[in-house]
Amino acid sequence: MSSAQEKIGVYVCHCGSNIAATVDVEAVSEWAGQELADKGVVVARDSKFMCASSGQELIEKDIEELGLTRVVVAACSPHMHEKTFRGACARAGLNPYLCELVSIREQVSWVHSDRAAATAKAKAVIAGGVLRVGEQVPLEPLRVPINPATLVVGGGIAGITTALEIADAGFAVHLVERQPSIGGHMAQFDKTFPTLDCAACILTPRMVDAGMHKNITLHTWSEVTDVKGYVGNFTVTIKERARYINAELCTGCGICQEKCPIRVQDNAFEAGLGFRKVAYMPFPQAVPKYPVIDGPNCTYFEKGTCKACEKFCPTNAIDFTQVDRDVVVEVGNIVLATGFELFDPRRIEQYGYGRLPNVFTSLEFERMSNAAGPTNGRIVLRDGVTEPKTVGVIHCVGSRDRNFNSYCSAICCMQSLKFAHLIRDHTDATVYNFYIDIRAPGKAYDEFYQRVLEEGTVFVRGRVAEVTDSLRLPAEADAEGRLIIQVEDTLVGTQRRIPVDMVILSAGLEPPADAKETARLFGISCSSDGWVIERHPKLDPVATMTDGVFAAGCALWPRDIPASVSNGAAAAARILGRIQQKEMALEPVRATVDEARCSGCRICNDLCPYNAIVYHADRAVTEVNPALCQGCGTCVAACPAGAISGTGFSDAQILSQIEGLLMVSASGQLREVVPA
Amino acid sequence: MSQYVYYPGCSMDASARAYADSLEAISGPLELQLIEIDDWNCCGATEYMGISPTRAYTLVSRNLALAEAQKNGSRTLVAACSACFMNLAKTENYLREDKTLAAKVNAALEAGGLHYTPGSIDVRHLLEIIFDDIGIAAVHDHVTRPLAGLRVAPYLGCLVTRPDLDRRWRSREHPQAFDRLLRTLGAQVVDFPPRTDCCGGHMTQISPATGFELIRRLVDAADKAGADMLVTTCPMCQMNVDAYQAEMNHYFKTSYHMPILFFTQLIGLAFGIPAQKLGIGTEIVSSRAALAKIGIEIPVVEAQQPVGAGAAGPPRRPRAKQTGLPMPAMPGESGEAPR
Amino acid sequence: MPSAAPAHATPHDVAFQDEVRAVIPRMSRLEMCVQCGTCGGSCPSAADMDHTPRMVFAMVRAGQRQEVLRSNTPWMCVSCYFCAVRCPQEVHIPDVMYGLKAMATREGLVPDSVAPDFSKTFVDNIHRYGRSYEVGLIARHYLRHYLTRLPGMAPMGIGMVAKGRMGFRPPKAIKGRDDLRKILARAEELEAGS
């Protein structure tokens, strides 16, 4: 066994009482020093906390003074401290990949309660580590250059923030947005809580900056269709959809929009509450200012006639021959800021949205309240004319509900309070807010709740059971034509039927419908709902498990504007750090194909989850791209010829580790293992 | 000929005799063969649950065990009474989902020499058979005397689409399939929001004020919508609205006259079967006046969709002319369905 | 409607929630209630209940054993399942109601005897015949509880009989009646044992 030829140091950690309470760590350390001496162990120590500086210093000192050539640390999971101990070895001059961390916490003390059995298992695990480490070879991390350009997907407030931060630092950004203009949902809002800033007023300056920035290339009305490569070196294909407008000639005068004869319901920007033309700019402050022609609804494309826009365009900017075109860009890092979609309240039939005209969603109400919206800021019923005398705002629609989405959508309570304020501000209406809890944790949020209470909004603690127009006569005869909100007022303990004129549903937030495709496209993980999964929910909230791909804003989870902006800036900071370092070190744990043994059967080709395998048809062999390879081992296991081995997990290493494990009996005795 | 094992329930013998008779009458044309479970026992309604839930499930399970063992039976057990259906379907689901309960129930059944294998019987309501297996189009084919001019309020009651533990209905509060069935018969279906509200069950015996109020809400809504009659699927609902309407009227000092018939009776009429064969005339609140309106041309049949995939959604409102602010599109209208 | 006994007079029984959960054969998720009030808001008979369903769960959690078992709430439940399909925490509310009815009956803590008597009579018929016996049930029930309704009910009763919808004779017992009794007795034993 090669381990015998090495000088191995074994370090067993108590981890306070986490390990020591179940495993007799002193006995294990002593055992390793004695019983594994002929396997190469020259020193074995135990320590209360190996990860502390004192613990690390133990290792460093032994490497220097005893000339250790290999180190085995028996402690927590490598996920926790592999880097720590590798660092200690590196500082003492030993190649960090000659250090092996075996888990006797997550895999022993935390899952067993029998002290004798756990101690024996710890011994086995250490024996495995000792034999394995003998087969390990020094490795150097892969260094890849970092392309200083960045791709930001999604032009909402989070994406715009990231783009501006990176662009202001002097680096190129490609900002891709699938709508005709950047701005995202924030552009649809009337006012933002709790400051009651006009959303457009604080957003549009940022939009203009992004649109005019010399370092930002906007790709609006576009989508990413392909992503290849790895951190520092991504090749991304962006499909720029045909606008049928020549941007070189268009001045954004808006005559095409004025003259276009076809009006359709605007389900995007106006949330279905208003109309737009087929040749349209989504809103007057759109960035870029170029309109778009909605092909599927355009008379010219349908019948070959009309072309009113072309007739009237003063600069001949209409171009019906335009086609979608692919633009390929090279970037070093990617930020996903794809935002959210509103929960569809048509799914909750007892609230009557879509059936009862005067039930509105939160986004519809934002558009209604907005002075630039379809009602010029008047709060009116669906007939466009009547002002409501009583309005009910319902919290938690589609959220905190196992029948739909069990999570809390974080912003709807504040949004509902904002609606109450706005309605009381614009009208004399009585406003009821129906809630389960009031969630107002942010800065000045609870103060806003106090303000809304002072303004006289009526709060009823009860989750609305039903919104109906079916009256119980004769008692409700004077509610003819109105809506009834049926709810239990839980603080009083009775069921109430409250007549209102208008109902606003604070619908929850969901990931975009194609979130899973997006995740697949960018090689990241998302939850079963579609939320992007961050590298660590507490300590690394904007990175993903895929190097080089970050996320910001509501793509991760429902959050308010300050949080989205923070995320955007955080992602930018991380990327700027990378760019500034010009290159990045990648883990050398990789698969390599022995071309002499590869028969070109290609079984491994489609198995790679990271698209790291390339087939060379001319030589009929497969190669693994070391930069993309994450060392998962799937191809290694699949190769029928055994032609693929992994640096860091070679056959020899794994087999010797197994041998080591089997060398220790259940009672902790060393025994010989007859090789197969 | 579609064959099913059938659980009639105690009311079919007497109080809902009309349901039994009309079902039998239409079974021929619909090629529906319902084989009664041999020696079935009462499902317990909601009464046994109040004494002892475990014994209640055991009581129901005896029927499931008999159905499973029945040699000439199919795998599907059909119930026409909504309460019986609910008990059977819920018990079957519970036995499948909970091994402990299944073990306990089977240990008890053993004392009577019986055993039930959870999952071996598929419990379905008569309506599901008509919508999914027979199909509304097939029903339409047998309509010879369309009920044109008859305005009906489609009253499903609460236990057809709820609790629906196996999630067969897309809409549990406002399913549209029943409306479509009645329209296929040529009737005009009025807008009836309380279509799955509760008739009160046994409340007329427990708390008459409550019972009468629940009945009143249904009758009033049907009346307000201009219905000539309510049409229902459940013996309890029919009994409450029919037999207790007079007492309800007395209690509230109202004077409603709202007949309520079983849907099978209307199907029978539309098939040209004589009224007496369908138990029409056995209702306390007479339907004579309302039925003096039938017999005009057959309307265009709508595309039939099974219950599970049906475009269930809220009742269709007459579309107001496009003034004011636009409404969101509903599923089925624009082809876009909610997630 | 508040109950008659003042709260401080009742010793709080913190194990009460566990006891209620144990009576229900399946997982009811009673402990998952967040007191949102959807059940109370949906219930068609809430107006006639001493406590809304939600309030009952709060009382169960607070260990108010006496108030809960004396409440008329479970007896006013019509089993329409509106609450069950709308509850955001998927609490099996009707199951809890059945469980409370069973507990109240066992301990004789029912608010009044109307509903329990009705159930008992119904169940007695099942034991006797294997089927329900409507006329017998109604007759016994009205004689005990609704004597004053009988005259007003007469036209309906006569109508039902005349139209063949009500038979005076009790049903013929099912063949397996004795087996059914054995089965139910065994179920009772198993229930007591658990």
Side-chain angles (χ1 to χ4, degrees):
Chain A
M1 273 171 271
S2 346
S3 69
Q5 283 138 10
E6 304 295 338
K7 288 194 185 153
I8 302 173
V10 172
Y11 303 88
V12 187
C13 185
H14 291 228
C15 193
S17 61
N18 270 310
I19 299 176
T22 313
V23 173
D24 187 346
V25 286
E26 282 120 343
V28 166
S29 165
E30 206 184 304
W31 174 90
Q34 286 169 356
E35 303 294 328
L36 296 179
D38 63 343
K39 307 284 190 283
V41 175
V42 301
V43 64
R45 303 190 195 280
D46 63 274
S47 163
K48 276 241 156 11
F49 290 103
M50 281 304 303
C51 57
S53 329
S54 52
Q56 295 182 55
E57 275 160 27
L58 273 178
I59 299 176
E60 291 174 56
K61 198 150 162 282
D62 283 347
I63 293 173
E64 279 157 16
E65 291 180 3
L66 303 175
L68 295 183
T69 58
R70 299 283 188 276
V71 166
V72 173
V73 183
C76 52
S77 157
H79 272 277
M80 296 291 297
H81 281 301
E82 183 169 68
K83 216 165 124 193
T84 310
F85 298 116
R86 282 188 179 165
C89 292
R91 280 195 298 279
L94 183 66
N95 184 293
Y97 295 94
L98 297 176
C99 169
E100 182 69 10
L101 172 48
V102 294
S103 170
I104 57 168
R105 189 181 74 171
E106 284 82 346
Q107 301 201 354
V108 181
S109 70
W110 273 2
V111 292
H112 298 297
S113 46
D114 179 335
R115 196 172 165 81
T119 303
K121 184 172 172 182
K123 289 178 183 169
V125 164
I126 288 170
V130 164
L131 291 193
R132 184 199 212 282
V133 90
E135 302 293 336
Q136 272 161 240
V137 294
L139 299 172
E140 292 301 322
L142 224 67
R143 299 203 174 273
V144 292
I146 302 285
N147 184 321
T150 307
L151 175 76
V152 177
V153 184
I157 186 60
I160 290 173
T161 302
T162 309
L164 285 172
E165 295 276 345
I166 295 177
D168 280 347
F171 300 102
V173 176
H174 289 275
L175 179 54
V176 179
E177 165 57 50
R178 64 162 51 130
Q179 294 296 328
S181 164
I182 56 174
H185 282 295
M186 190 176 166
Q188 294 174 286
F189 299 162
D190 176 23
K191 305 270 195 297
T192 56
F193 56 76
T195 49
L196 298 172
D197 282 306
C198 152
C201 304
I202 57 176
L203 175 65
T204 47
R206 300 289 172 105
M207 286 168 56
V208 168
D209 281 348
M212 300 189 45
H213 208 295
K214 67 173 170 39
N215 289 332
I216 298 180
T217 309
L218 284 184
H219 305 265
T220 56
W221 200 232
S222 304
E223 296 198 6
V224 172
T225 53
D226 191 51
V227 178
K228 288 200 177 20
Y230 49 94
V231 59
N233 302 274
F234 290 107
T235 305
V236 179
T237 308
I238 302 170
K239 181 170 86 169
E240 290 182 345
R241 286 184 282 159
R243 293 178 109 97
Y244 307 110
I245 306 281
N246 185 334
E248 313 275 309
L249 300 172
C250 175
T251 59
C253 69
I255 287 181
C256 53
Q257 182 173 247
E258 208 186 294
K259 298 298 183 187
C260 177
I262 311 291
R263 222 169 63 123
V264 294
Q265 188 173 9
D266 182 351
N267 289 314
F269 190 73
E270 296 289 13
L273 199 68
F275 298 92
R276 61 163 171 80
K277 296 295 184 67
V278 164
Y280 70 106
M281 274 169 22
F283 49 98
Q285 310 97 317
V287 170
K289 62 180 187 291
Y290 315 118
V292 139
I293 295 177
D294 170 14
N297 281 313
C298 172
T299 309
Y300 171 70
F301 285 111
E302 200 190 340
K303 299 188 203 146
T305 54
C306 182
K307 295 219 229 176
C309 48
E310 193 179 61
K311 274 186 223 127
F312 287 98
C313 175
T315 55
N316 266 319
I318 309 290
D319 179 5
F320 289 110
T321 65
Q322 239 181 44
V323 290
D324 296 347
R325 70 173 190 137
D326 284 344
V327 170
V328 178
V329 301
E330 312 262 322
V331 295
N333 291 279
I334 299 173
V335 180
L336 296 176
T338 43
F340 69 88
E341 276 174 13
L342 207 65
F343 168 81
D344 183 353
R346 290 176 296 182
R347 296 168 66 189
I348 306 187
E349 13 173 24
Q350 58 267 34
Y351 288 164
Y353 178 66
R355 173 171 53 94
L356 302 170
N358 293 318
V359 177
F360 296 86
T361 63
S362 38
L363 276 178
E364 279 181 314
F365 182 75
E366 292 276 1
R367 295 311 306 149
M368 184 189 288
S369 176
N370 193 310
T375 64
N376 297 314
R378 284 180 313 123
I379 311 297
V380 286
L381 299 182
R382 197 73 70 165
D383 64 7
V385 172
T386 316
E387 281 193 3
K389 296 213 187 46
T390 313
V391 181
V393 179
I394 301 181
H395 295 218
C396 302
V397 175
S399 302
R400 301 185 67 188
D401 187 343
R402 291 172 62 99
N403 297 305
F404 301 101
N405 294 318
S406 55
Y407 55 84
C408 166
S409 287
I411 53 90
C412 333
C413 270
M414 286 308 296
Q415 177 192 80
S416 303
L417 294 177
K418 177 183 79 176
F419 291 163
H421 166 81
L422 289 172
I423 296 165
R424 303 273 305 158
D425 201 35
H426 291 230
T427 71
D428 290 324
T430 303
V431 180
Y432 288 91
N433 275 46
F434 299 94
Y435 68 99
I436 310 173
D437 296 292
I438 297 290
R439 297 190 163 177
K443 189 165 187 175
Y445 282 14
D446 201 79
E447 288 80 345
F448 190 72
Y449 174 39
Q450 300 289 322
R451 175 178 181 171
V452 174
L453 281 168
E454 276 166 12
E455 289 168 355
T457 293
V458 182
F459 284 86
V460 175
R461 189 195 175 279
R463 183 171 175 271
V464 170
E466 204 176 315
V467 178
T468 179
D469 61 349
S470 180
L471 303 176
R472 288 184 191 165
L473 302 174
E476 293 173 352
D478 56 355
E480 188 62 52
R482 305 179 80 191
L483 295 172
I484 302 278
I485 288 185
Q486 186 174 302
V487 64
E488 181 187 350
D489 184 334
T490 66
L491 298 177
V492 177
T494 54
Q495 188 185 97
R496 293 172 66 177
R497 282 173 61 97
I498 302 175
V500 298
D501 302 307
M502 176 192 245
V503 171
I504 302 171
L505 303 176
S506 271
L509 273 44
E510 291 182 330
D514 62 348
K516 296 201 178 139
E517 281 85 77
T518 304
R520 213 173 306 135
L521 186 61
F522 289 92
I524 56 158
S525 302
C526 66
S527 70
S528 57
D529 293 322
W531 304 107
V532 171
I533 296 181
E534 56 275 87
R535 188 171 276 246
H536 192 282
K538 292 294 229 184
L539 301 179
D540 209 348
V542 296
T544 65
M545 293 299 282
T546 304
D547 279 331
V549 181
F550 300 86
C554 290
L556 289 157
W557 194 258
R559 51 200 47 173
D560 56 16
I561 292 166
S564 294
V565 169
S566 300
N567 282 169
R574 296 288 290 274
I575 291 170
L576 287 170
R578 289 268 171 80
I579 293 173
Q580 178 244 314
Q581 287 181 322
K582 298 202 169 57
E583 67 173 18
M584 196 171 134
L586 297 181
E587 272 285 305
V589 175
R590 296 272 175 287
T592 6
V593 178
D594 178 350
E595 293 197 358
R597 295 173 84 170
C598 173
S599 65
C601 72
R602 305 188 68 176
I603 284 177
C604 60
N605 285 197
D606 293 327
L607 292 173
C608 179
Y610 301 97
N611 291 316
I613 294 187
V614 155
Y615 180 66
H616 298 292
D618 52 338
R619 289 177 287 138
V621 291
T622 283
E623 189 190 352
V624 174
N625 177 340
L628 279 173
C629 174
Q630 302 286 314
C632 72
T634 305
C635 58
V636 176
C639 178
I644 311 182
S645 66
T647 32
F649 55 97
S650 69
D651 286 357
Q653 286 161 6
I654 294 176
L655 289 170
S656 60
Q657 188 164 24
I658 293 172
E659 227 181 282
L661 285 167
L662 294 175
M663 263 168 48
V664 181
S665 71
S667 58
Q669 302 301 315
L670 209 56
R671 59 185 179 194
E672 274 310 306
V673 175
V674 179
Chain B
M1 177 68 74
S2 308
Q3 216 185 62
Y4 303 93
V5 180
Y6 175 55
Y7 181 87
C10 304
S11 355
M12 290 299 202
D13 283 342
S15 59
R17 161 57 43 74
Y19 198 4
D21 288 347
S22 51
L23 175 55
E24 199 188 306
I26 65 173
S27 293
L30 292 178
E31 296 186 32
L32 180 61
Q33 196 183 7
L34 298 170
I35 305 165
E36 202 169 302
I37 299 180
D38 189 36
D39 207 42
W40 55 271
N41 58 267
C42 176
C43 74
T46 49
E47 312 311 333
Y48 222 123
M49 284 288 174
I51 302 292
S52 154
T54 307
R55 266 179 277 161
Y57 292 126
T58 309
L59 179 74
V60 174
S61 300
R62 177 173 176 276
N63 296 303
L64 294 172
L66 292 173
E68 186 189 354
Q70 195 138 315
K71 289 294 175 276
N72 60 345
S74 75
R75 260 208 76 220
T76 305
L77 173 58
V78 181
C81 164
S82 305
C84 302
F85 162 71
M86 189 276 284
N87 276 328
L88 290 161
K90 183 174 152 186
T91 303
E92 215 291 310
N93 175 283
Y94 277 19
L95 293 177
R96 235 188 300 133
E97 297 286 319
D98 188 333
K99 304 240 178 306
T100 317
L101 178 65
K104 216 178 269 190
V105 165
N106 270 319
L109 287 176
E110 213 180 88
L114 293 172
H115 176 87
Y116 175 63
T117 317
S120 56
I121 292 286
D122 198 18
V123 180
R124 295 164 75 193
H125 193 281
L126 174 64
L127 278 178
E128 293 179 57
I129 305 299
I130 294 182
F131 296 146
D132 294 344
D133 293 6
I134 296 172
I136 293 182
V139 171
H140 179 80
D141 288 343
H142 290 99
V143 172
T144 55
R145 206 214 309 188
L147 309 174
L150 186 66
R151 297 166 58 90
V152 299
Y155 178 50
L156 270 172
C158 59
L159 300 179
V160 177
T161 58
R162 293 192 298 275
D164 190 28
L165 297 166
D166 292 323
R167 289 308 234 140
R168 282 212 263 265
W169 294 86
R170 214 172 97 171
S171 168
R172 305 207 280 186
E173 306 200 11
H174 296 287
Q176 295 299 296
F178 194 48
D179 296 39
R180 275 187 277 121
L181 173 65
L182 295 172
R183 259 183 239 122
T184 296
L185 304 178
Q188 188 185 340
V189 176
V190 303
D191 184 29
F192 188 66
R195 61 171 38 70
T196 59
D197 282 9
C198 184
C199 66
H202 65 188
M203 292 319 272
T204 47
Q205 311 311 310
I206 306 302
S207 168
T210 312
F212 296 152
E213 168 60 16
L214 293 177
I215 295 169
R216 191 194 64 82
R217 286 180 197 167
L218 296 168
V219 170
D220 182 66
D223 183 61
K224 224 181 82 169
D228 298 317
M229 64 170 59
L230 280 154
V231 183
T232 188
T233 82
C234 172
M236 191 76 248
C237 300
Q238 201 282 339
M239 168 111 105
N240 271 330
V241 175
D242 185 33
Y244 290 96
Q245 200 169 127
E247 227 189 328
M248 181 274 286
N249 270 330
H250 178 76
Y251 186 86
F252 288 107
K253 308 213 180 344
T254 47
S255 53
Y256 297 107
H257 179 94
M258 183 58 67
I260 177 165
L261 294 181
F262 291 102
F263 76 101
T264 42
Q265 295 175 292
L266 286 198
I267 294 180
L269 283 176
F271 283 5
I273 298 172
Q276 317 86 275
K277 279 227 167 89
L278 305 169
I280 294 182
T282 63
E283 67 280 1
I284 307 291
V285 179
S286 174
S287 60
R288 182 159 300 127
L291 286 179
K293 286 186 182 193
I294 44 171
I296 315 182
E297 89 271 73
I298 299 171
V300 176
V301 70
E302 295 166 38
Q304 169 255 319
Q305 279 172 305
V307 147
R316 210 163 329 138
R317 301 259 144 165
R319 282 313 223 170
K321 275 195 278 294
Q322 192 75 69
T323 53
L325 302 166
M327 282 282 281
M330 288 308 289
E333 289 173 11
S334 64
E336 172 214 331
R339 253 196 288 167
Chain C
M1 212 167 80
S3 67
H8 67 262
T10 312
H12 284 197
D13 183 355
V14 296
F16 184 45
Q17 180 168 279
D18 285 339
E19 207 188 323
V20 173
R21 287 168 63 201
V23 167
I24 301 159
R26 277 205 77 211
M27 226 175 51
S28 65
R29 295 176 53 84
L30 164 60
E31 67 284 358
M32 303 303 290
C33 173
V34 293
Q35 292 288 302
C36 72
T38 302
C39 50
S42 304
C43 182
S45 46
D48 296 333
M49 290 177 168
D50 288 337
H51 313 97
T52 61
R54 171 207 59 84
M55 180 68 101
V56 170
F57 297 154
M59 291 159 67
V60 168
R61 199 173 273 175
Q64 294 184 338
R65 200 167 202 288
Q66 291 293 309
E67 284 90 333
V68 168
L69 295 179
R70 285 187 199 283
S71 171
N72 77 352
T73 299
W75 303 101
M76 297 301 284
C77 168
V78 293
S79 298
C80 73
Y81 286 83
F82 260 128
C83 54
V85 305
R86 290 177 181 173
C87 174
Q89 291 289 87
E90 292 183 330
V91 178
H92 295 139
I93 297 157
D95 283 359
V96 179
M97 294 301 160
Y98 299 144
L100 290 175
K101 278 201 253 192
M103 285 176 81
T105 307
R106 236 179 277 164
E107 301 187 26
L109 284 174
V110 295
D112 65 49
S113 59
V114 178
D117 279 351
F118 188 77
S119 296
K120 282 206 199 102
T121 309
F122 190 103
V123 166
D124 285 345
N125 286 338
I126 295 181
H127 291 164
R128 201 175 309 184
Y129 309 112
R131 300 273 170 93
S132 78
Y133 173 29
E134 274 169 9
V135 171
L137 170 66
I138 303 285
R140 194 163 136 195
H141 191 65
Y142 276 60
L143 284 171
R144 282 168 86 173
H145 293 287
Y146 292 130
L147 223 35
T148 49
R149 265 172 90 184
L150 278 175
M153 299 285 296
M156 182 271 257
I158 292 166
M160 292 284 279
V161 172
K163 293 174 199 247
R165 291 173 68 184
M166 223 156 63
F168 281 113
R169 276 178 306 145
K172 192 158 165 276
I174 56 173
K175 286 180 288 187
R177 196 268 311 270
D178 291 337
D179 284 341
L180 177 60
R181 281 199 185 153
K182 286 191 205 132
I183 290 170
L184 293 171
R186 184 95 180 89
E188 189 173 353
E189 275 170 36
L190 289 165
E191 193 175 41
S194 64

